[in-house]
Amino acid sequence: MISKTKSGQCRLHNVQFYNLLPRGINCLAVNNGNSKLALSRDDGTIEIWNISAAPFMEKSLPGYEKVSVEGLCWVGERLFSVGLAGSLIEWDLRLMTMKNTFLLTGDAAWCLDVSRDERRLAVGTEGGYINVYNVENDDIQYEKILDKQEGRIVCVRFDWSGDFLVTGSVDAVRVWNLKKGHAVHKMTTGRSVRDKETIVWSLLVLQDFTIVSGDSRGKIMFFDGNLGTAIDSITVSKADILSLTIDREEKFLYVTGVEPIIRIYQRVEVTKANEKVKSFVRTLNRRYHTHDIKALDMYRDKLVSGGVDGSLIISSFPPFVVDIYHALLEAPSSAVAQDARVVLLKYVNYLELWTLSSSSVESRKILQVRSKLDEHIVVAAVSPDGRWIVYSTEATIRLFRFEYQNGGESRLIPIRAVPEQFEPCYGVQFTSDSKGVFVFKREAVIEYFGINDNDDFDHKQTIEAAKWFTEKIHLTMVSQDSDYLVCASLCCAIVVFKREKFGRWKRLTTLPKYKLPPTAISIQPNSPILAAVFPDHKIFQYDFSEYRFTFTSYLKLDKMKASPNKIVSSIVFDPRNDDCMILQHDSSVFVLQFEEEEAAQTPRKRRDSGRAGNNSSDETAAIKRYSLSPLKQYSRLVNICWLGTDEMVAIEANPLSMVEHLPPAFRRKVYGTA
């Protein structure tokens, strides 16, 4: 759909045929030490989120078909996972690969936990075995297997001392002595129906060794871990209780499950048998999700939740704040070929290429490419002229030449004779003239390939960038004249490269590091000015021809009634007006318009490491005033970009496709209703 043109404005293409399917959240783990969140989806993908300021997805580890991740935990900055494949996996988050893999006794694994001192890690399996590992000193060593129990172990928790384990299974909660290797207490849960088993889905162990369990009867039970006796039982729901969590002070208990309601219980003093005891009393209900909620965790005073509907929700009370992050793919998940007027849409295991509509022609799909063996696609890109398509999975990378004939027979030609440096990668960036492509590989290696008029694909240069980037390069941008390349890394480094004689690329400058990595960058079409924005909504412009900042400020998005907990994920310059920037903030689009510069000049110190032998010197940055105004609101906006001189494209994930494929939600009959 394309909007009507008004005087003095641009035309807006609303791409609404991006039909993403829902991807539910299986489990999540919060690392309060480094403000990171790891979550797994039902397609086996693991996502790493930075939640230190406005949360955003830093990277994703692609999954595989029929591979499920059922448990995640952090040991310092190390991430471990278990799943139905029967392996304990340690992930290398810098290289985004498996670091160590250990086969487990007992086949499929359903749960894992780490002791509070981060010395031991325990895994519960389908066969009833508890595998215990020592994870000290950045190593992992097998320690012991506890006595086998009947039935699978669904959940496992360490006590606060690290000397005992608590496990939940069918009809029972057990307390294990790690030194002796066997169970010291077995507490039965009872059954609602004689022939129907009760499954303990979730556990908590409090500081005083009180054990809290949630089960398939919809009840939470409280046990004394020292004596092995039941203390209390509360009926919460008519459906399964799947997840429990508690705040740091152990004052508020959060309970949820198949019924998509989060119930909050507060610990208060009550009188029982003329004695004052502490008990949990229900205070509030919160309905954020539409389907089963499978995972809960706490980040400081905020509640993190996820489930079948795929939305990651971070909420707090008081004050009452709810932020919803939809199940979109890692950016960039779309690309627009400006010269060819086509848009590339990336799905989990296939790509689609669509034409953009005009005044007389509607958009239509002209190509679909599926990955080999349905591997998850890590990255995909299309050249500005629409003739070259690249996609990469974990194992393979493929290059195609696409010859599109409007109304005729189009051809997709795979290019097999490629240089040996053309290997699987996590990032691809074409130059604006479609005559070059950058491939970003692990270990901070950038490969540059040239494409000549005869369609020869040649390797031109290898850029060893490890001395500037110690983490993944997550944002890249090539200038309109194809002479500058800007790379931003999760290590907070922003480096500008310049094309020199004979097509060689050389570092021009490294910008001063900020405390957070940028979430969006863009280069002004008419001048060498870089704009960058960060998770705390700081924004700046940097002139890398003069090596100075020309503008810096903090966006006051709260005045626009926009959430301060959402990032600015795209910056688009208006090629007709250098004083205008278009910002994508979550699913909203804002226009930042600079006003006339003031005459006053403010002295600043500059640290520039981009020029050899250049010491810190004074510079002046003009004080700019700007206005911020809303342009348009979407439901699930994926990306915005400029097309030509007077057109802009807004790509939106179809909300209907992300809802209509969900399973039926839990419904409870309410008296007096149909």
Side-chain angles (χ1 to χ4, degrees):
M1 185 176 69
I2 183 171
S3 63
K4 296 181 179 180
T5 305
K6 295 182 180 181
S7 176
Q9 297 184 358
C10 69
R11 293 188 295 171
L12 178 63
H13 293 266
N14 293 312
V15 174
Q16 298 175 329
F17 41 75
Y18 193 11
N19 299 317
L20 287 174
L21 296 180
R23 298 181 302 135
I25 295 175
N26 276 355
C27 57
L28 54 83
V30 172
N31 188 333
N32 284 279
N34 62 2
S35 299
K36 296 294 176 68
L37 163 68
L39 63 86
S40 72
R41 298 199 178 270
D42 54 16
D43 60 0
T45 300
I46 298 176
E47 297 176 359
I48 310 298
W49 289 65
N50 186 321
I51 52 178
S52 58
F56 70 99
M57 190 198 308
E58 286 191 341
K59 61 187 74 171
S60 65
L61 308 169
Y64 302 91
E65 290 297 319
K66 300 180 181 179
V67 173
S68 175
V69 177
E70 298 295 331
L72 291 166
C73 77
W74 292 93
V75 179
E77 296 186 357
R78 305 161 67 191
L79 180 65
F80 292 86
S81 71
V82 294
L84 303 186
S87 298
L88 171 66
I89 300 174
E90 179 182 1
W91 295 92
D92 188 325
L93 296 182
R94 189 175 70 87
L95 299 179
M96 297 177 290
T97 57
M98 296 181 186
K99 185 177 181 180
N100 294 306
T101 304
F102 300 88
L103 293 177
L104 298 168
T105 301
D107 299 324
W110 288 97
C111 54
L112 83 165
D113 193 33
V114 63
S115 60
R116 186 161 295 273
D117 58 8
E118 297 186 344
R119 293 177 53 207
R120 290 191 178 98
L121 185 145
V123 182
T125 61
E126 176 75 23
Y129 291 97
I130 303 174
N131 297 254
V132 181
Y133 294 87
N134 187 297
V135 290
E136 293 181 285
N137 303 321
D138 290 331
D139 195 10
I140 179 167
Q141 295 181 352
Y142 166 78
E143 190 170 301
K144 64 173 67 176
I145 293 180
L146 307 189
D147 293 345
K148 183 182 184 299
Q149 72 163 52
E150 293 183 3
R152 71 184 183 189
I153 298 173
V154 181
C155 49
V156 61
R157 289 281 186 176
F158 278 92
D159 77 322
W160 275 64
S161 68
D163 296 329
F164 294 90
L165 269 174
V166 182
T167 60
S169 54
V170 175
D171 291 330
V173 174
R174 292 177 173 86
V175 179
W176 301 78
N177 188 311
L178 281 176
K179 293 181 180 178
K180 297 180 180 180
H182 60 262
V184 294
H185 298 299
K186 178 183 178 182
M187 296 88 79
T188 57
T189 58
R191 297 183 177 184
S192 297
V193 181
R194 178 178 298 179
D195 297 332
K196 187 176 181 181
E197 297 175 334
T198 297
I199 302 174
V200 179
W201 290 112
S202 184
L203 286 171
L204 284 177
V205 182
L206 309 186
Q207 294 186 48
D208 59 0
F209 213 173
T210 298
I211 301 168
V212 187
S213 70
D215 57 46
S216 58
R217 299 172 299 168
K219 290 186 177 183
I220 53 175
M221 296 189 68
F222 300 86
F223 302 93
D224 187 323
N226 294 304
L227 301 177
T229 57
I231 301 173
D232 197 4
S233 176
I234 302 175
T235 300
V236 176
S237 171
K238 291 187 177 181
D240 298 39
I241 300 299
L242 300 179
S243 187
L244 305 168
T245 193
I246 198 165
D247 66 333
R248 288 179 295 182
E249 290 78 21
E250 296 187 350
K251 186 177 180 181
F252 293 98
L253 173 67
Y254 301 87
V255 183
T256 191
V258 172
E259 189 175 3
I261 299 175
I262 299 175
R263 294 179 168 88
I264 306 173
Y265 289 78
Q266 185 175 355
R267 202 174 197 181
V268 297
E269 281 192 354
V270 297
T271 302
K272 289 186 178 180
N274 297 325
E275 293 184 3
K276 288 187 176 181
V277 296
K278 289 187 176 181
S279 180
F280 284 95
V281 178
R282 190 172 75 181
T283 58
L284 298 171
N285 289 346
R286 289 288 178 259
R287 185 184 289 271
Y288 306 138
H289 295 265
T290 60
H291 289 69
D292 307 12
I293 304 173
K294 289 188 173 183
L296 291 176
D297 209 339
M298 296 296 298
Y299 173 65
R300 298 174 183 171
D301 59 344
K302 298 180 180 180
L303 178 66
V304 185
S305 59
V308 172
D309 60 10
S311 297
L312 172 67
I313 297 182
I314 301 179
S315 58
S316 62
F317 178 84
F320 181 63
V321 178
V322 179
D323 292 295
I324 302 176
Y325 305 88
H326 297 293
L328 304 178
L329 298 179
E330 182 184 9
S333 58
S334 62
V336 173
Q338 298 183 6
D339 301 339
R341 297 182 63 84
V342 296
V343 58
L344 179 72
L345 303 178
K346 185 185 78 171
Y347 292 83
V348 173
N349 53 9
Y350 66 94
L351 307 174
E352 288 183 353
L353 196 67
W354 290 70
T355 61
L356 290 172
S357 62
S358 62
S359 57
S360 59
V361 180
E362 290 294 324
S363 298
R364 64 188 184 92
K365 183 168 67 174
I366 57 175
L367 179 67
Q368 179 171 316
V369 180
R370 185 171 290 273
S371 64
K372 285 188 174 181
L373 303 177
D374 283 336
E375 291 180 293
H376 285 207
I377 296 175
V378 176
V379 66
V382 60
S383 62
D385 61 7
R387 297 189 66 245
W388 299 94
I389 298 174
V390 178
Y391 81 81
S392 177
T393 67
E394 281 284 284
T396 60
I397 185 170
R398 303 195 70 189
L399 173 67
F400 299 93
R401 187 173 73 246
F402 182 54
E403 297 177 354
Y404 172 61
Q405 300 292 334
N406 188 10
E409 183 179 354
S410 302
R411 294 197 304 165
L412 183 68
I413 305 172
I415 307 300
R416 307 189 186 279
V418 294
E420 60 181 2
Q421 294 85 356
F422 193 67
E423 297 175 328
C425 61
Y426 64 81
V428 176
Q429 177 70 59
F430 280 92
T431 58
S432 301
D433 56 11
S434 301
K435 294 183 178 179
V437 59
F438 296 92
V439 171
F440 299 87
K441 301 194 296 188
R442 297 182 176 90
E443 301 286 358
V445 175
I446 306 173
E447 304 285 1
Y448 175 62
F449 300 88
I451 306 173
N452 60 23
D453 295 335
N454 297 324
D455 292 339
D456 294 327
F457 191 78
D458 299 322
H459 179 255
K460 298 295 185 181
Q461 185 181 358
T462 298
I463 304 173
E464 300 287 347
K467 55 186 173 182
W468 306 303
F469 304 117
T470 58
E471 262 282 8
K472 173 188 176 183
I473 300 172
H474 69 299
L475 297 175
T476 60
M477 184 74 182
V478 174
S479 62
Q480 191 69 34
D481 57 10
S482 299
D483 285 340
Y484 295 97
L485 167 70
V486 178
C487 301
S489 170
L490 293 173
C491 68
C492 305
I494 302 177
V495 179
V496 181
F497 297 89
K498 188 178 188 304
R499 188 205 298 264
E500 296 189 334
K501 293 181 179 180
F502 309 110
R504 302 285 293 181
W505 292 84
K506 186 177 180 181
R507 183 179 69 98
L508 176 67
T509 184
T510 301
L511 274 65
K513 279 190 178 182
Y514 188 56
K515 62 183 178 181
L516 296 170
T519 58
I521 60 174
S522 185
I523 302 176
Q524 204 172 78
N526 306 315
S527 56
I529 292 179
L530 170 70
V533 66
F534 298 86
D536 59 356
H537 300 149
K538 180 177 181 178
I539 186 170
F540 70 70
Q541 286 188 350
Y542 184 84
D543 190 328
F544 46 79
S545 65
E546 299 181 1
Y547 305 98
R548 69 184 185 93
F549 289 97
T550 60
F551 166 73
T552 180
S553 180
Y554 285 90
L555 297 172
K556 305 297 182 181
L557 293 171
D558 53 340
K559 294 183 178 180
M560 299 288 105
K561 298 183 179 180
S563 171
N565 299 319
K566 300 292 184 68
I567 64 168
V568 175
S569 55
S570 293
I571 302 174
V572 176
F573 280 103
D574 188 338
R576 307 165 303 178
N577 184 359
D578 291 342
D579 292 329
C580 180
M581 285 193 295
I582 301 170
L583 309 177
Q584 176 192 345
H585 176 258
D586 188 38
S587 292
S588 302
V589 180
F590 295 92
V591 177
L592 188 152
Q593 180 73 46
F594 288 111
E595 299 174 2
E596 292 185 3
E597 297 181 4
E598 294 183 3
Q601 300 289 316
T602 301
R604 289 192 176 183
K605 289 288 186 179
R606 171 172 62 88
R607 184 185 64 191
D608 181 16
S609 58
R611 304 173 76 179
N614 186 34
N615 299 321
S616 296
S617 60
D618 292 334
E619 70 170 359
T620 58
I623 300 175
K624 291 185 178 181
R625 291 190 178 184
Y626 67 90
S627 61
L628 196 64
S629 57
L631 178 63
K632 194 172 177 62
Q633 176 70 36
Y634 292 88
S635 174
R636 289 170 173 81
L637 185 61
V638 175
N639 190 25
I640 58 172
C641 60
W642 205 265
L643 181 67
T645 57
D646 62 348
E647 297 176 79
M648 195 172 72
V649 179
I651 301 171
E652 183 182 12
N654 186 355
L656 184 60
S657 69
M658 301 184 73
V659 174
E660 65 183 0
H661 293 91
L662 288 170
F666 177 82
R667 292 287 184 269
R668 186 170 67 176
K669 180 71 171 66
V670 178
Y671 179 77
T673 61

